[in-house]
Amino acid sequence: MISLEGVSSIRKTHDMLPIHSKPKLWNPSIAPNPPTFKKILPLKISNPWNENKEANESKAGRIKRLVLSNEGRTKLNTFPDREFYAYPRFVTHVDDGFIATLTDLYRERLKPGSEILDLMSSWISHLPNEVVYKRVVGHGLNAQELARNSRMDYFFVKDLNHDQKLEIEDSSFDAVLCTVSVQYLQQPEKAFAEVFRVLRPGGVFIVSFSNRLFYEKAINAWRDGTAYSRVQLVLQYFQCIEGFTQPEVIRELPSAGNSQDDKSPFSWFMKWLGLFSGSDPFYAVIAYKNFKPVYD
């Protein structure tokens, strides 16, 4: 069956993870209007003298240019994202093949003992079960989904299209993940700059996506694009931030199911564009802060 670009995300049921019996509640004495946390994530205390000094010392993390036009940032559904995601969806939005490829990628790129920020996440993070990480912090738009994510030590709810500033200290994480959600960012330049800020030097940012989406909530530049143009768009998000390494692209395109057609140049080209496959194509764009570390 042909998988067309721009087809709305197909919801797929998945076994629910156990509900945490006693999630820790937010303490109202800590802050007047904080984001929702499973546990309280330490907030950044700003020091204007230090911030000015850091700005003068380095241009790393600055936005060199804007990637999107005003029209490219628009959505068909203009209501606030918090309203759209108010009802929990305990489903997976990509197929098992995509998830297995993503988990293998995490197993390869994320070191045990790392501290990880999972942006725009949900009730499952697709991290390898056998690997132990020091800390996993989740972010999303639905507290019920995040509370059921068994890999998260903390979580917070925040609309990145309303405010891109993360209340997290500089250089706090070894890795940042964004899974099948980059297509909804209306201010990706600012969001990627914030990711750069919270990553430690040598930290990795892994952005993965397929051809599925909530059509009315994806930005215009993504909705109207092909698989190739979407990869190029994410590449530009990285390249517009001073300090990220040259992005690396990973593609895993499934077979269309007909071996004779698969050998033709047309079939190969269509599969490369993500327009001709029976399963979800896998794309990931990966870059590091300042440098790519070398491990033994």
Side-chain angles (χ1 to χ4, degrees):
M1 184 174 181
I2 297 177
S3 179
L4 297 178
E5 295 288 347
V7 176
S8 298
S9 176
I10 299 175
R11 302 175 185 174
K12 300 185 179 181
T13 58
H14 197 288
D15 293 336
M16 295 184 184
L17 294 176
I19 300 174
H20 294 279
S21 57
K22 293 183 179 180
K24 293 189 177 181
L25 299 177
W26 164 65
N27 184 346
S29 64
I30 294 176
N33 293 296
T36 305
F37 294 95
K38 183 181 294 186
K39 301 175 185 176
I40 300 302
L41 182 67
L43 302 182
K44 177 183 177 182
I45 301 176
S46 298
N47 183 325
W49 295 102
N50 288 341
E51 290 180 355
N52 291 337
K53 180 181 178 182
E54 291 170 2
N56 291 331
E57 286 179 349
S58 175
K59 293 182 179 179
R62 73 178 179 92
I63 300 173
K64 296 186 289 185
R65 64 182 183 278
L66 295 180
V67 175
L68 298 177
S69 65
N70 289 335
E71 181 182 359
R73 302 176 197 275
T74 60
K75 297 184 177 186
L76 294 177
N77 183 335
T78 59
F79 290 101
D81 290 342
R82 288 290 294 269
E83 294 181 10
F84 183 81
Y85 295 100
Y87 185 79
R89 297 174 174 90
F90 296 108
V91 298
T92 54
H93 300 288
V94 283
D95 65 17
D96 291 343
F98 182 102
I99 293 171
T101 301
L102 181 62
T103 300
D104 285 342
L105 179 63
Y106 288 163
R107 187 177 288 111
E108 175 188 344
R109 299 298 179 107
L110 305 179
K111 290 186 63 180
S114 297
E115 294 186 271
I116 298 170
L117 174 61
D118 190 2
L119 280 181
M120 307 176 77
S121 187
S122 181
W123 67 291
I124 187 168
S125 291
H126 309 304
L127 294 165
N129 292 327
E130 76 280 5
V131 181
V132 178
Y133 303 103
K134 182 178 180 180
R135 179 177 63 152
V136 178
V137 177
H139 155 266
L141 280 172
N142 188 281
Q144 290 175 270
E145 292 178 2
L146 296 169
R148 293 202 182 181
N149 191 317
S150 62
R151 296 308 302 266
M152 291 180 182
D153 300 295
Y154 310 86
F155 75 83
F156 64 100
V157 173
K158 186 181 182 72
D159 184 352
L160 291 181
N161 286 329
H162 177 71
D163 179 13
Q164 296 78 46
K165 183 70 173 178
L166 298 173
E167 298 298 330
I168 299 171
E169 294 182 354
D170 296 354
S171 303
S172 294
F173 294 97
D174 303 297
V176 178
L177 316 175
C178 182
T179 305
V180 294
S181 296
V182 68
Q183 60 267 31
Y184 307 119
L185 286 173
Q186 291 180 283
Q187 301 292 334
E189 303 95 340
K190 293 180 180 179
F192 274 57
E194 273 295 278
V195 169
F196 185 93
R197 181 182 66 79
V198 303
L199 276 173
R200 296 186 175 111
V204 64
F205 186 18
I206 301 176
V207 179
S208 59
F209 53 94
S210 188
N211 57 0
R212 299 184 183 273
L213 65 157
F214 291 119
Y215 190 78
E216 69 272 30
K217 275 297 181 181
I219 62 170
N220 183 57
W222 194 277
R223 291 195 317 271
D224 293 346
T226 64
Y228 175 80
S229 69
R230 291 167 179 174
V231 170
Q232 295 304 307
L233 200 60
V234 179
L235 282 170
Q236 291 181 67
Y237 292 165
F238 277 107
Q239 292 167 346
C240 79
I241 306 301
E242 185 79 43
F244 272 122
T245 61
Q246 180 63 31
E248 171 188 358
V249 178
I250 296 176
R251 294 182 178 90
E252 293 288 342
L253 305 181
S255 170
N258 187 317
S259 59
Q260 183 174 357
D261 289 342
D262 287 346
K263 296 177 182 179
S264 71
F266 174 76
S267 177
W268 178 90
F269 180 70
M270 292 296 284
K271 287 189 293 179
W272 183 71
L273 290 177
L275 295 174
F276 188 37
S277 67
S279 301
D280 294 341
F282 177 89
Y283 305 95
V285 184
I286 305 169
Y288 296 78
K289 178 176 179 176
N290 302 138
F291 62 91
K292 181 178 180 179
V294 178
Y295 302 112
D296 294 333

